[in-house]
């Protein structure tokens, strides 16, 4: 298995200070991959800056120039939760370009799969708004580029970040060529992602939301993957699978209330990789979104690479949640989603 990874120190130039989404996240991931000897098993992919034209496939031109201007003026807050520094525009261009490069490398068969370790993250960024720590919607931009450059008809995006990827959903809400499936804590930030949001017009049915109750853990995620994501993917027959990989779903993450373990992430990645192997010659691209507890984040990213490499041993240094008391019952939720989407 040839597995690529995108990283560049330019991502550290998005300086957010004490913000939970800070440069230490990527520094910790890279040093953990080095320390565990995993990095030598991976193929480095050099990112490039996304062009303004590529950004325009998702974002408004005034919005793009606004982000550039804020950086030129030294940075500042964009709304209540998203902050920029002078290096943020450049870092954000390379974040989008990093996911584009990961996708090109997979499509050109230089690697079997790839993981873009980028920041700022992207899935909350909308056409004309930065939010939820995101500036440009990296995965949406790379997906748009893949559709155009490789003349693809069907791309599946799986988003297992604990938050709903409202920006990604909105980008493809009326696009039948992209099936967007999200598992997320609900109700929760950013408020979107109900089962009733299913796409519009000819894209009706190509948005599938799996809004899970707080406290959901490995069992519930496994259930959601097996009952919804697998049959939906089999029916859609994607030519490429993109993943918004957010690890704030881990039980130790301070920003949310889910109970997934490192082992749980390994199981999800295994299912997604199985789908890619069966449906699209293994073509699979991961893009880093959230994940704010450094121990959980680094161990979860490592186990993701292990699964992509085909390493079977799962190292889970944090184990299962010590807080998991009652397992939520999601049987009726799963039934409803199956009904709405006419899944077997
Ligand atoms: Zn998140």
């Amino acid at each position: 298995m040839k597995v690529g990874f995108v990283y560049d120190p330019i991502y550290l130039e998005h300086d957010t200070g004490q913000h939970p989404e800070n440069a230490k996240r990527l520094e910790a991931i890279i040093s953990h991959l080095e320390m565990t000897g995993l990095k030598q098993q991976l193929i480095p992919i050099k990112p490039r800056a996304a062009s303004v034209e590529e950004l325009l496939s998702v974002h408004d031109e005034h919005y793009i120039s606004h982000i550039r201007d804020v950086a030129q003026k030294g940075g500042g807050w964009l709304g209540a939760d998203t902050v920029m520094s002078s290096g943020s525009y450049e870092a954000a261009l390379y974040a989008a370009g990093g996911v584009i490069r990961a996708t090109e490398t997979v499509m050109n068969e230089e690697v079997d799969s790839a993981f873009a370790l980028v920041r700022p993250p992207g899935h909350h960024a909308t056409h004309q708004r930065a939010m939820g720590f995101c500036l440009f919607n990296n995965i949406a931009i790379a997906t748009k580029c893949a559709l155009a450059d490789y003349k693809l008809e069907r791309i599946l995006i799986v988003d297992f970040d604990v938050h709903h990827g409202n920006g990604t959903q909105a980008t493809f809400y009326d696009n039948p060529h992209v099936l967007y499936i999200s598992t997320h804590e609900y109700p929760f930030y950013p408020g979107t992602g109900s089962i009733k949001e299913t796409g519009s017009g000819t894209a009706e049915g190509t948005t599938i939301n799996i809004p899970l109750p707080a406290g959901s853990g490995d069992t519930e995620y496994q259930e959601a993957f097996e009952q919804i994501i697998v049959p939906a993917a089999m029916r859609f027959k994607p030519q490429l699978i993109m993943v918004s990989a957010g690890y704030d779903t881990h039980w130790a993450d301070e920003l949310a209330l889910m109970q997934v373990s490192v082992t749980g992430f390994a199981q999800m990645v295994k299912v997604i990789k199985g789908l890619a192997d069966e449906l699209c010659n293994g073509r699979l691209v991961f893009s880093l979104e959230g994940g704010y507890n450094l121990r959980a984040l680094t161990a979860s990213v490592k186990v993701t690479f292990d699964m992509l490499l085909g390493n079977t041993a799962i190292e889970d240094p944090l184990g299962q949640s010590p807080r998991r008391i009652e397992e939520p019952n999601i049987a009726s939720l799963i039934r409803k989603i199956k009904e709405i989407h006419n899944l077997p």
Side-chain angles (χ1 to χ4, degrees), residues 123-124 161-163 248 290-292:
H123 73 154
H124 293 304
D161 188 279
V162 79
H163 304 98
D248 39 12
Y292 307 99

Side-chain angles (χ1 to χ4, degrees), residues 164 205 208 235 311 336:
H164 181 242
I208 302 180
R235 183 172 67 188
N311 299 340
K336 260 189 247 165

Side-chain angles (χ1 to χ4, degrees), residues 183 212 216-225 249 258 260 268:
T183 52
L212 296 166
S216 295
D218 296 354
T219 320
E220 290 73 34
Y221 273 81
Q222 197 63 20
E223 186 78 359
F225 269 63
T249 322
M258 291 313 212
V260 171
M268 291 185 226

